[in-house]
Amino acid sequence: MRKRVALGLALLLVAACSSGTPAAVPRRPVSAPSPTAAPLVYAAVGASETAGIGAQDPRSQAWPMVFYDTALPPSAVMYSFGVPFETTEAALNGEVPAALAVDPALVTVWLNVDDLAAGVSAADYEARLGQLVHALRRGGATRVLVANTPYLDHLPLYLKCRSGGAGCPFAGPVPAPDQLNAMVDAYNAAIARVVQREGAVLVDLHAAGEVPDEHPDWVSPDGFHPDAAGYVQIAARFAAALSASG
Amino acid sequence: MRWSDAVTLALRGALRRPVRTALTTLGVTLGSGLLVALAVVTTAADTKVLDRLGQGNPLTTVRVAPAQPRPGQLDSDALQPGAPHDLTDAALASIRRAPHVTRVVPIQTSRVAELSDEGGLSQDWIIGTDMTQVSTLPITLLAGRWPAANSLTEVAATTDYLFKLHIDGDKPRQALGHQVTLTSPRIAAGDTGPGQGRSYRAVIVGVVGQDLTDGDFIVPVPQVVQSRQWEQGGAGSTQFPVNGSPYAGAVVVASSLSDVHTVRAELYGMGYATSAPEHLVASVQEYLGVVNVVLGSIGSVALGVALLSIANALLAAIHERRRDIGVLKAIGGRDRDVLRWFLVEALAIGLAGGAAGAVAGVVIAELVGVAVNQYLVAHDLGSLDLVGVPVVIPLLGWLGTGLLAVIAGGLPSLQAAHLPAREAVVEA
């Protein structure tokens, strides 16, 4: 059963959430960064969506770049560590040490869909995510924003694979929507507990609902990654969470 | 006789024949003026032409590439690079210790994605160098200012980047104040995506023309160092290699123009390809030397003629003043008093003519400079501003003319000094 769910989830990387106005990436009004100010160091830890997969131009349209460009001060420096197919376990060995090496004051973490796809249980995921967030928090020296898992069951590629349509890149059975949603809920509960325990900030992407139904234009042509407009909305979610956390 | 008496007698004598004195002084003025004008023009032209060859940089600079030199490297001014040869800190230290090397300015580059504040994205390079040493480098500030030496947020855009901002190359000031987000890419182990990135925002504070290497921005050293450190942390790929030369090049300043070849030979021995306009400069200097000799000869002939006129005027004056000479000797004047009298008169004419000539020469040189510049600009040959006079030339022209006048007046003055008193009075 778990294997089926895992296999099916491999189809499902993230779609955009939230509501709002999709548009081209808004550029920050020009204001000169101070040449002498100590820069705020921001590190983005994550998987394919952090790397901007699905955007026409990942280098400029990935959500961390949009977040950096719209929500952080001009003197901020961003390190984007996103690697496609990255699980939390892999990030603990690769992205986390690299992120800690740059001494970040702010870290965003979005790692869950690839763990789901890899069949990692919610308990194991919680343990690994807890270890990851604990390391990044550095005793409270770093503010850490952790995104939960959005709805995945209405993504075009998931639906295509469920219907057995041609073009599904994954072999094997695909989990039913209720199974998938149960896994997502379990993961999100784990994420909420880790955030609470480590003093991190939750970025609630799941609260945006079934985004593919409401905003199909926020989903990229691959059917499961956000496109540039979707990434703008995700960046806005992170920015709102950062702002609300003070 | 005191010096003041000699001066008084000389002035009275000169004013006794004012027209002759004026014409003699005018001749000296023309001669010395011509010589001063030619000296000013040729000196200024030499300097400006050589500056042009150096493209605004010291002619003693040698550019070093991270590559082995080809066998014929030292026979050519141009870079003759062979196989790659990393330019490392150790190599730079060796170059600094080499004889006749006064300064070494290293250059580092880093690959970046550039996101402009207008949304345009492009890929190019940043060029990092010591902002306190930019006068040594082939970089010209076209607008704005240089980034602060340790700034992490200020850059100077090259003219290449102006086109990416759709700014006319003739209006570089329009680029000032624009902000750009620079992202250094790297590939993590196993990464199949677009790669990781280190991004920072910088504001364009200056626009430069540069001939260092390919790149859109000149940045202070700390920026390029941080970008390179980030790059080196990646796993590397054919697209983003991590094992290149630590330095993309260096500019080495030799202690003098004559040491440039020695420095290049030293670098050749160390295994680095270099470029320097040494052969071109030597050829131009040879031509300029010939031109200087020809023009100097013309001026010298003119001055010689003027000095002969001083001698001639003094001979005429001595002939007219034989009675005065006789009377002076009869009342106890000595030969040296007579000699002093006429030498002072020659000196006075020389100094007066030399002063007027120096002023006239400078004015003529300035006018020639303006005319030449206007001609060059009118014919799209660029500008070569010859205006700017080394003060020492008119000063030397003035004092030299006075000295030469004394020499020219020496023979007639000696003749007057040795004139017996009785003979002088009787013949008069």
Side-chain angles (χ1 to χ4, degrees), chain B residues 178-194:
Chain B
H178 273 272
Q179 191 169 277
V180 61
T181 301
L182 300 171
T183 300
S184 305
R186 78 176 187 191
I187 299 292
D191 187 352
T192 56

Side-chain angles (χ1 to χ4, degrees), chain A residues 79-106:
Chain A
Y79 293 86
S80 178
F81 293 100
V83 175
F85 307 111
E86 190 85 328
T87 61
T88 308
E89 184 178 29
L92 275 167
N93 297 320
E95 294 188 38
V96 171
L100 291 173
V102 301
D103 193 20
L106 174 67

Side-chain angles (χ1 to χ4, degrees), chain B residues 28 41 47 67 84 156 159 170 181 235 245 260 276 287 304 309 316 346 374-375 427:
Chain B
V28 174
V41 167
T47 306
T159 47
D170 294 335
T181 301
S245 173
V260 169
Y287 287 119
S309 76
Q374 283 178 343
Y375 176 85
E427 285 185 11

